Amino acid sequence: MTADRLAARYDMGLEHDSRYARAIDAFCPLVTSPGVRTPILLDFLRTELPADQPDFAKVLFIEAVTRELGRRWEGDDCDFVDVTVAVARLQDIIRLLSFEFRSLHGDANLPFVVLATPYGEQHTLMPYLLGLLFDAMGWSTRIVEGADLRSPRLRSALDHADIVCIGWSNQRLRSEFHDLVAAVRSTQRDRRPPIIAGGIAALDSVDFLVSLGIDCICDSVYSAARICERFYELEAISRQARGSPRRTAVNASGIDWLTR
């Protein structure tokens, strides 16, 4: 499965793959350099990465570059302006790659994931990266950045969501996070899509999230993708079971079909 393959690659770290280490070292200064336009960066991804790798390798590469920039900032090898410029350019790249990936999938019955952040959230690169990951997997996504709870766009997205992912990085937005979860629950009264939370603030607030009924907490975009894939599989199994004269039980070894 795509998410499992991605998780396995992430565990190793793409920067430790000899095929990508040199490209990461070259791309980091390029993405922070003045005057570098997005088409140049996209050409780099097309020409400097191994040609025999699937599309989702570009997602892995962008994520590895993001982590490398974070390490360089912490080590004073780049400053806040460099990181700000790089993040803006990476989001542009993600949007364009997202369009490319989506054009490859025409199935109207794709799983639909809403990626939201609380109102006031400023760190939104990871939701965009997760959205790109879902696009590479062939899923349908909508990003609602800094969600205004009164926004018709948010309500419309939640009405059709199979899964909701919320990124939360700032503890000062605790009440906004609470209100966003409440909005998800109030919109989905007839059905209850899983809510998955991630981000620094989420990882530091496990008890709070449990009290809100959050279904799962993830520590990376890859674990989020894998969790969503599992949730959707279980929902598909449940729908199949409801239409079958047999009952199902899911255990560690797989699916047991139980005859009535």
Side-chain angles (χ1 to χ4, degrees), residues 160-211:
H160 302 92
D162 294 305
I163 300 173
V164 178
C165 296
I166 303 177
W168 177 32
S169 70
N170 191 331
Q171 286 285 358
R172 288 179 294 179
L173 301 177
R174 188 184 183 98
S175 62
E176 286 81 0
F177 180 91
H178 175 280
D179 293 343
L180 178 55
V181 173
V184 174
R185 297 301 189 209
S186 66
T187 301
Q188 297 273 11
R189 293 186 183 277
D190 296 332
R191 58 192 185 96
R192 187 182 183 277
I195 300 179
I196 299 171
I200 296 174
L203 294 174
D204 291 338
S205 308
V206 174
D207 290 344
F208 171 66
L209 298 185
V210 170
S211 72

Side-chain angles (χ1 to χ4, degrees), residues 4-5 16 26 53 57 69 79 108 143 146 148 170 182 216 219 222 225 256:
D4 280 336
R5 292 197 299 270
H16 300 298
Q53 298 299 297
L69 287 171
D79 57 26
I143 297 174
D148 181 350
N170 191 331
C216 202
D219 61 356
Y222 304 109
D256 290 337

Side-chain angles (χ1 to χ4, degrees), residues 11-155:
D11 288 341
M12 179 183 69
L14 201 64
E15 63 271 29
H16 300 298
D17 187 326
S18 60
R19 295 172 298 174
Y20 291 92
R22 183 176 298 177
I24 292 172
D25 286 340
F27 193 79
C28 284
L30 186 65
V31 79
T32 60
S33 298
V36 175
R37 301 179 66 84
T38 303
I40 294 176
L41 300 174
L42 285 173
D43 285 342
F44 184 100
L45 298 183
R46 296 187 182 104
T47 60
E48 300 301 323
L49 301 187
D52 60 341
Q53 298 299 297
D55 284 336
F56 65 71
K58 295 184 179 70
V59 186
L60 294 170
F61 181 80
I62 294 172
E63 192 272 344
V65 167
T66 302
R67 287 187 289 113
E68 177 61 24
L69 287 171
R71 282 192 288 266
R72 294 186 182 192
W73 185 15
E74 291 178 351
D76 292 329
D77 293 324
C78 62
D79 57 26
F80 179 76
V81 174
D82 291 331
V83 173
T84 301
V85 170
V87 167
R89 288 174 174 168
L90 289 174
Q91 287 199 185
D92 284 341
I93 292 171
I94 288 170
R95 290 188 185 98
L96 292 171
L97 288 178
S98 176
F99 180 78
E100 289 183 13
F101 292 164
R102 291 182 183 188
S103 67
L104 301 175
H105 306 286
D107 187 353
N109 296 317
L110 297 172
F112 178 50
V113 183
V114 172
L115 305 163
T117 57
Y119 185 76
E121 178 65 63
Q122 295 181 333
H123 298 282
T124 58
L125 181 61
M126 286 302 107
Y128 277 93
L129 187 58
L130 179 56
L132 182 62
L133 178 52
F134 282 125
D135 291 334
M137 291 166 57
W139 287 35
S140 179
T141 63
R142 184 176 300 176
I143 297 174
V144 187
E145 183 180 336
D148 181 350
L149 303 184
R150 298 167 296 180
S151 167
R153 184 169 181 266
L154 174 63
R155 295 287 176 170

